[in-house]
Amino acid sequence: MSTQDAHELKLYSPPEAAVKGAHVSGMEAYKKLEAEAEADYQGYWARLAREFLTWKQPFTKVLNESDAPFFKWFEDGKLNVSYNCLDRNVERGLGDKTAIIFETDDGKVSRVSYKELLSRTSQLANALKAQGVKKGDRVVIYMPMSVEGVVAMQACARIGATHSVVFGGFSAQSLRDRIEDAGAVMVITADEQMRGGKALPLKSIVDEALSLGGCDSIRNVIVYQRTGGKVAWNSAHDKWLHEVVASQPATCEPEWVEAEHPLFLLYTSGSTGKPKGVQHATGGYLLHAALTTKWTFDLKDDDVFWCTADIGWVTGHTYITYGPLALGGTEVVFEGIPTYPDAGRFWKMIQDHKVTIFYTAPTAIRSLIKAAETNPAVHPKNYDLSSLRLLGSVGEPINPAAWEWYHQNIGGGRCPIVDTWWQTETGGHMITPLPGATPLVPGSCTLPFPGITAAIVDETGHDVPNGQGGILVVKKPWPSMIRTIWGDPERFKKSYYPPELKGYYLAGDGASRDAERGYFTITGRIDDVLNVSGHRMGTMEIESALVSCTELVAEAAVVGRPDETTGEAICAFVVLKRPRPTGEEARKIAAELRNWVAKEIGPIAKPKDIRFGDNLPKTRSGKIMRRLLRSIAKGEQITQDTSTLENPAILDQLAQTN
Ligand code: PRX
């Protein structure tokens, strides 16, 4: 790959091999698509929706803006997602093609063909119907990474049930909250999940969630037997998955749903309140899932695609369960973790399965860099990674040093890296290089996906010139956008369409564009949302969890600080109901509070630092001064004006680590 200096930034032009035969080949092809979308926005998306999806009833209306910002796409069309991902491929002659290469935590490999995936999905779909699940019902999926997890999602889609996958690392309390908010009729789970050689409970967490109350809508719990570990059984509503599917036929007529029918809810954190149920529609979402998989990953028939995300996050939805299958691709699904049995696991799996396209998060890359530096045995140079032709990054900014390492050590200097910026709410890639077209700059997600009107504006919605930072927005609605927040349309409007932004979608990120190329660089969230290892968390959620420990905690404030490995780390400032602890006592209470947060939300929300104070820095009107806390968390000298602070002495106290 050729490199040259563009000011101090390195520029990597797409290598010949990536340009040749690419679905979007060369910058001219990219510009042509952009021009097509600009000239006839609706015509562009309609063309693609007809090309990429099979419609039972073709749409005649493209975009309905009459109730903005509640936009509708392809609203009079009907289709079925699981038909598009499975039956259609079998009908095209791909029945025997491997859809999924599944590898368990302990390295057992199985392959599932499209034909088999279709019959397993149909059987489960029939079983769900037999349990009384109907179109529009919500089904919570709390599953390990598994073929069954993908099948459960596809089976819901097949019968028009709206799934809500909850990441298997969330606590009983978080699971309960999501079940209640969604009003789910069923939970599909597993006895246990295997991660890093350990069996971790799932079913017993479901039991606990249900026992916390508020889950009266649940009629059944379907349990996939993954480990055979012991589980408590409530015969009134618990059923084994293998038993409920055993008597079901392997064919099931898909439920043809309206394009706007809710395909799924996925809960994610915002700056205020409890996690919100991001609602996605069927037609527009699937279009963008398929389209971005094809263009961003340049997916071809003989590729082996591997997205390392969990199906509990949006990346796993779009780039495991839906996008690659909608295109008839072959993908790897992995149950385990990157560091088991050692930190060479990813590289070994790329070698074993001859993975051609690899998509992971910067946090994983950074932690594997560290591992390779400390243990030469797991350095990627020990593995044959020559099958790779394309790499991807998602979830958080990738720092140029990690980018360069990924490019050299994993991509052998020959594989483009697509740094894809998007969100749970956007359904699929929004700003990303296209590997056969876009010259790359490490650390930049480069240019909008063709047809996506991403822009940077100031607080009044006016464009800011390139070279300056501002607020990242999307000017026009796009097919795979969030439709609403489940049960809270007002919150949807308030969060994403604030009146001062002239009807633009507010992403919640800050960004800048460079003066020369207009390339985007994401500078991070501009709200009270943290991004820890690519996991999104609201500071308020963690604060609520801390103060719910009413025995100990009087007050808490949570901020993020930069972290070399996890991107951001959670830092909590806590005022206890007892005198401020120091030394060993402080460490003991901090450990207790960390476990408390893990129990309330999940281990991913555990604060890395907990500092204790007699009180928190507040203005005279009682507002916590978070910007000061952010500086303290970073270990910075306070240079800001502290004259409005009621109790300036507190700053020194909070600066002390335990
Ligand atoms: O801050 C941005 C960051 O992750 C947020 C979205 O998180 P979530 O909804 O959990 O979805 C993650 C997977 C798509 C964004 O608001 N983010 C995501 N991708 C990038 C990123 N930040 C910088 N560069 C990226 N490529």
Side-chain angles (χ1 to χ4, degrees), residues 22-24 51-52 92 287-301 303 305 319 323-324 327 357 389-390 429 434-435 449:
H23 294 306
V24 180
E51 259 174 54
F52 276 77
R92 281 176 183 166
L287 167 60
H288 207 56
L291 178 65
T292 50
T293 306
K294 183 150 179 172
W295 289 357
T296 309
F297 296 121
D298 194 37
L299 192 82
K300 311 255 173 60
D301 289 345
D303 272 313
F305 176 76
Y319 301 108
L327 297 178
I357 305 168
R389 66 176 185 88
L390 178 59
H429 302 154
L434 302 184
F449 190 85

Side-chain angles (χ1 to χ4, degrees), residues 102-104 145 306 332-338 345-346 349:
F102 178 61
E103 183 162 323
T104 60
M145 281 298 289
W306 183 17
V332 173
V333 174
F334 176 42
E335 179 181 41
I337 58 171
R345 184 68 183 267
F346 275 1
M349 284 181 62

Side-chain angles (χ1 to χ4, degrees), residues 268 313-315 359 393-398 419-425 431 445 507-509 522 524-525 531 534-536:
T268 191
W313 310 114
V314 74
T315 308
Y359 189 36
S393 172
V394 60
E396 38 175 336
I398 178 162
D419 175 1
T420 59
W421 175 84
W422 59 296
Q423 312 175 292
T424 305
E425 293 89 340
I431 307 179
C445 51
D509 279 310
I522 308 296
R525 300 288 307 192
N531 190 329
H535 297 150
R536 195 167 143 179

Side-chain angles (χ1 to χ4, degrees), residues 558-595:
V558 168
V559 298
R561 66 159 168 79
D563 182 276
E564 251 189 32
T565 307
T566 58
E568 258 184 313
I570 302 168
C571 190
F573 295 90
V574 176
V575 181
L576 294 178
K577 286 183 175 167
R578 58 172 85 167
R580 175 175 175 265
T582 52
E584 192 48 41
E585 194 199 357
R587 280 190 289 277
K588 212 179 118 236
I589 299 178
E592 225 172 284
L593 290 178
R594 270 189 206 102
N595 290 337

Side-chain angles (χ1 to χ4, degrees), residues 272-284:
T272 56
K274 293 219 168 208
K276 46 197 177 184
V278 170
Q279 180 178 321
H280 277 287
T282 298

Side-chain angles (χ1 to χ4, degrees), residues 448-474:
F449 190 85
I452 298 297
T453 53
I456 300 180
V457 298
D458 63 20
E459 269 123 28
T460 57
H462 291 95
D463 286 313
V464 301
N466 287 358
Q468 284 177 30
I471 300 170
L472 183 55
V473 296
V474 185

